[in-house]
CSV table of all heavy atoms in Angstrom, one decimal:
chain,number,residue,atom,x,y,z
A,8,ALA,N,191.9,8.7,143.1
A,8,ALA,CA,192.1,10.1,142.9
A,8,ALA,C,191.7,10.9,144.2
A,8,ALA,O,190.7,10.6,144.8
A,8,ALA,CB,191.3,10.6,141.8
A,9,ARG,N,192.6,11.8,144.6
A,9,ARG,CA,192.3,12.7,145.7
A,9,ARG,C,191.9,14.1,145.1
A,9,ARG,O,192.6,14.5,144.2
A,9,ARG,CB,193.6,12.9,146.5
A,9,ARG,CG,193.6,12.2,147.9
A,9,ARG,CD,193.3,10.8,147.8
A,9,ARG,NE,192.6,10.4,149.0
A,9,ARG,CZ,192.3,9.1,149.3
A,9,ARG,NH1,192.6,8.1,148.6
A,9,ARG,NH2,191.6,8.9,150.4
A,10,THR,N,190.9,14.6,145.6
A,10,THR,CA,190.4,15.9,145.0
A,10,THR,C,190.2,16.9,146.1
A,10,THR,O,190.1,16.6,147.3
A,10,THR,CB,189.0,15.6,144.3
A,10,THR,OG1,188.3,14.7,145.0
A,10,THR,CG2,189.2,15.1,142.9
A,11,PRO,N,190.1,18.2,145.7
A,11,PRO,CA,189.9,19.3,146.8
A,11,PRO,C,188.5,19.2,147.3
A,11,PRO,O,187.7,18.4,146.9
A,11,PRO,CB,190.2,20.5,146.0
A,11,PRO,CG,190.0,20.2,144.5
A,11,PRO,CD,190.3,18.8,144.4
A,12,GLU,N,188.3,20.0,148.3
A,12,GLU,CA,186.9,20.1,148.9
A,12,GLU,C,185.9,20.5,147.8
A,12,GLU,O,186.2,21.4,147.0
A,12,GLU,CB,186.9,21.2,150.0
A,12,GLU,CG,187.5,20.8,151.3
A,12,GLU,CD,186.8,19.6,151.9
A,12,GLU,OE1,185.6,19.7,152.2
A,12,GLU,OE2,187.5,18.5,152.2
A,13,PRO,N,184.7,19.9,147.8
A,13,PRO,CA,183.7,20.3,146.9
A,13,PRO,C,183.3,21.8,147.2
A,13,PRO,O,183.5,22.3,148.3
A,13,PRO,CB,182.5,19.4,147.2
A,13,PRO,CG,183.1,18.2,147.9
A,13,PRO,CD,184.3,18.8,148.6
A,14,PRO,N,182.7,22.5,146.2
A,14,PRO,CA,182.2,21.9,144.9
A,14,PRO,C,183.2,21.9,143.8
A,14,PRO,O,184.1,22.7,143.8
A,14,PRO,CB,181.1,22.9,144.6
A,14,PRO,CG,181.5,24.2,145.1
A,14,PRO,CD,182.3,23.9,146.4
A,15,TYR,N,183.1,20.8,143.0
A,15,TYR,CA,183.8,20.7,141.7
A,15,TYR,C,183.0,19.8,140.8
A,15,TYR,O,181.9,19.4,141.2
A,15,TYR,CB,185.2,20.1,142.0
A,15,TYR,CG,185.3,18.9,142.7
A,15,TYR,CD1,185.2,17.6,142.1
A,15,TYR,CD2,185.4,18.8,144.1
A,15,TYR,CE1,185.2,16.4,142.8
A,15,TYR,CE2,185.5,17.6,144.8
A,15,TYR,CZ,185.4,16.4,144.1
A,15,TYR,OH,185.4,15.3,144.8
A,16,TYR,N,183.4,19.6,139.6
A,16,TYR,CA,182.6,18.8,138.7
A,16,TYR,C,183.2,17.4,138.4
A,16,TYR,O,184.4,17.2,138.6
A,16,TYR,CB,182.5,19.5,137.3
A,16,TYR,CG,181.3,20.5,137.4
A,16,TYR,CD1,181.5,21.7,138.0
A,16,TYR,CD2,180.1,20.1,136.9
A,16,TYR,CE1,180.4,22.6,138.1
A,16,TYR,CE2,179.0,21.0,137.0
A,16,TYR,CZ,179.2,22.3,137.5
A,16,TYR,OH,178.1,23.1,137.6
A,17,ALA,N,182.3,16.4,138.1
A,17,ALA,CA,182.7,15.1,137.7
A,17,ALA,C,182.1,14.8,136.4
A,17,ALA,O,180.9,15.1,136.2
A,17,ALA,CB,182.3,14.1,138.8
A,18,VAL,N,182.9,14.2,135.5
A,18,VAL,CA,182.4,13.6,134.2
A,18,VAL,C,182.4,12.1,134.4
A,18,VAL,O,183.5,11.5,134.5
A,18,VAL,CB,183.2,14.1,133.0
A,18,VAL,CG1,182.7,13.4,131.8
A,18,VAL,CG2,183.2,15.6,132.9
A,19,ILE,N,181.2,11.5,134.4
A,19,ILE,CA,181.1,10.1,134.6
A,19,ILE,C,180.9,9.5,133.2
A,19,ILE,O,179.8,9.7,132.6
A,19,ILE,CB,179.8,9.8,135.5
A,19,ILE,CG1,179.9,10.5,136.8
A,19,ILE,CG2,179.7,8.3,135.7
A,19,ILE,CD1,178.6,10.6,137.6
A,20,PHE,N,181.8,8.7,132.8
A,20,PHE,CA,181.8,8.1,131.5
A,20,PHE,C,181.7,6.6,131.7
A,20,PHE,O,182.6,5.9,132.1
A,20,PHE,CB,183.1,8.4,130.7
A,20,PHE,CG,183.2,7.8,129.3
A,20,PHE,CD1,182.3,8.2,128.3
A,20,PHE,CD2,184.1,6.8,129.0
A,20,PHE,CE1,182.4,7.7,127.0
A,20,PHE,CE2,184.2,6.3,127.8
A,20,PHE,CZ,183.4,6.7,126.8
A,21,THR,N,180.5,6.0,131.3
A,21,THR,CA,180.3,4.6,131.4
A,21,THR,C,180.3,4.1,130.0
A,21,THR,O,179.8,4.7,129.0
A,21,THR,CB,179.0,4.2,132.1
A,21,THR,OG1,177.9,4.9,131.4
A,21,THR,CG2,179.0,4.6,133.5
A,22,SER,N,180.9,2.9,129.8
A,22,SER,CA,181.0,2.4,128.4
A,22,SER,C,181.1,0.9,128.4
A,22,SER,O,181.4,0.2,129.4
A,22,SER,CB,182.3,2.9,127.8
A,22,SER,OG,183.5,2.5,128.4
A,23,ARG,N,180.8,0.3,127.2
A,23,ARG,CA,181.0,-1.1,126.9
A,23,ARG,C,181.8,-1.2,125.7
A,23,ARG,O,181.4,-0.7,124.6
A,23,ARG,CB,179.6,-1.7,126.8
A,23,ARG,CG,179.6,-3.2,127.0
A,23,ARG,CD,178.2,-3.8,126.9
A,23,ARG,NE,177.6,-3.4,125.6
A,23,ARG,CZ,176.3,-3.2,125.3
A,23,ARG,NH1,175.4,-3.3,126.2
A,23,ARG,NH2,176.0,-2.9,124.1
A,24,ARG,N,183.0,-1.9,125.8
A,24,ARG,CA,183.9,-2.0,124.7
A,24,ARG,C,183.5,-3.0,123.7
A,24,ARG,O,182.8,-4.0,124.1
A,24,ARG,CB,185.3,-2.5,125.3
A,24,ARG,CG,186.1,-1.4,126.0
A,24,ARG,CD,186.9,-0.6,125.0
A,24,ARG,NE,188.0,-1.3,124.4
A,24,ARG,CZ,188.2,-1.7,123.2
A,24,ARG,NH1,187.3,-1.4,122.3
A,24,ARG,NH2,189.2,-2.4,122.8
A,25,THR,N,183.9,-2.8,122.5
A,25,THR,CA,183.8,-3.8,121.4
A,25,THR,C,184.9,-4.8,121.7
A,25,THR,O,185.8,-4.7,122.5
A,25,THR,CB,184.0,-3.2,120.0
A,25,THR,OG1,185.2,-2.4,120.1
A,25,THR,CG2,182.8,-2.3,119.7
A,26,GLU,N,184.8,-5.9,120.9
A,26,GLU,CA,185.9,-7.0,121.0
A,26,GLU,C,187.2,-6.5,120.4
A,26,GLU,O,187.2,-5.7,119.4
A,26,GLU,CB,185.4,-8.2,120.3
A,26,GLU,CG,184.2,-8.9,120.8
A,26,GLU,CD,184.5,-9.7,122.1
A,26,GLU,OE1,185.6,-10.3,122.2
A,26,GLU,OE2,183.6,-9.8,123.0
A,27,GLY,N,188.3,-6.9,120.9
A,27,GLY,CA,189.6,-6.6,120.3
A,27,GLY,C,190.1,-5.3,120.7
A,27,GLY,O,189.3,-4.4,121.0
A,28,ASP,N,191.4,-5.0,120.6
A,28,ASP,CA,192.0,-3.8,121.0
A,28,ASP,C,191.8,-2.7,120.0
A,28,ASP,O,191.4,-1.6,120.3
A,28,ASP,CB,193.5,-3.9,121.4
A,28,ASP,CG,194.1,-2.6,121.9
A,28,ASP,OD1,193.7,-2.3,123.1
A,28,ASP,OD2,194.8,-2.0,121.2
A,29,ARG,N,192.2,-2.9,118.8
A,29,ARG,CA,192.1,-2.0,117.6
A,29,ARG,C,192.6,-0.6,118.0
A,29,ARG,O,191.9,0.4,117.6
A,29,ARG,CB,190.6,-1.9,117.1
A,29,ARG,CG,190.2,-3.3,116.6
A,29,ARG,CD,188.9,-3.2,115.8
A,29,ARG,NE,187.7,-3.4,116.7
A,29,ARG,CZ,186.5,-3.5,116.3
A,29,ARG,NH1,186.2,-3.4,115.0
A,29,ARG,NH2,185.5,-3.7,117.2
A,30,GLY,N,193.7,-0.5,118.6
A,30,GLY,CA,194.3,0.8,118.9
A,30,GLY,C,193.8,1.4,120.2
A,30,GLY,O,194.2,2.6,120.5
A,31,TYR,N,192.9,0.8,120.9
A,31,TYR,CA,192.2,1.4,122.1
A,31,TYR,C,193.2,1.7,123.2
A,31,TYR,O,193.2,2.8,123.8
A,31,TYR,CB,191.1,0.4,122.6
A,31,TYR,CG,190.5,0.9,123.9
A,31,TYR,CD1,189.6,2.0,123.9
A,31,TYR,CD2,190.9,0.4,125.1
A,31,TYR,CE1,189.1,2.5,125.0
A,31,TYR,CE2,190.3,0.8,126.3
A,31,TYR,CZ,189.4,1.9,126.2
A,31,TYR,OH,188.9,2.3,127.4
A,32,ALA,N,194.1,0.7,123.6
A,32,ALA,CA,194.9,0.9,124.7
A,32,ALA,C,195.9,2.1,124.5
A,32,ALA,O,196.1,2.9,125.5
A,32,ALA,CB,195.7,-0.4,125.0
A,33,THR,N,196.4,2.2,123.3
A,33,THR,CA,197.3,3.3,123.0
A,33,THR,C,196.6,4.7,123.1
A,33,THR,O,197.1,5.6,123.7
A,33,THR,CB,197.9,3.2,121.6
A,33,THR,OG1,198.6,1.9,121.5
A,33,THR,CG2,198.9,4.3,121.2
A,34,MET,N,195.4,4.7,122.6
A,34,MET,CA,194.6,5.9,122.6
A,34,MET,C,194.3,6.3,124.1
A,34,MET,O,194.4,7.4,124.5
A,34,MET,CB,193.3,5.8,121.8
A,34,MET,CG,192.3,6.9,121.9
A,34,MET,SD,191.3,7.1,123.5
A,34,MET,CE,190.3,5.5,123.4
Side-chain angles (χ1 to χ4, degrees):
Chain A
R9 253 53 213 189
T10 38
E12 284 297 302
Y15 54 86
Y16 275 81
V18 178
I19 305 164
F20 179 68
T21 55
S22 65
R23 202 178 54 211
R24 282 276 287 115
T25 50
E26 297 282 327
D28 185 70
R29 295 191 272 186
Y31 174 76
T33 302
M34 175 284 295

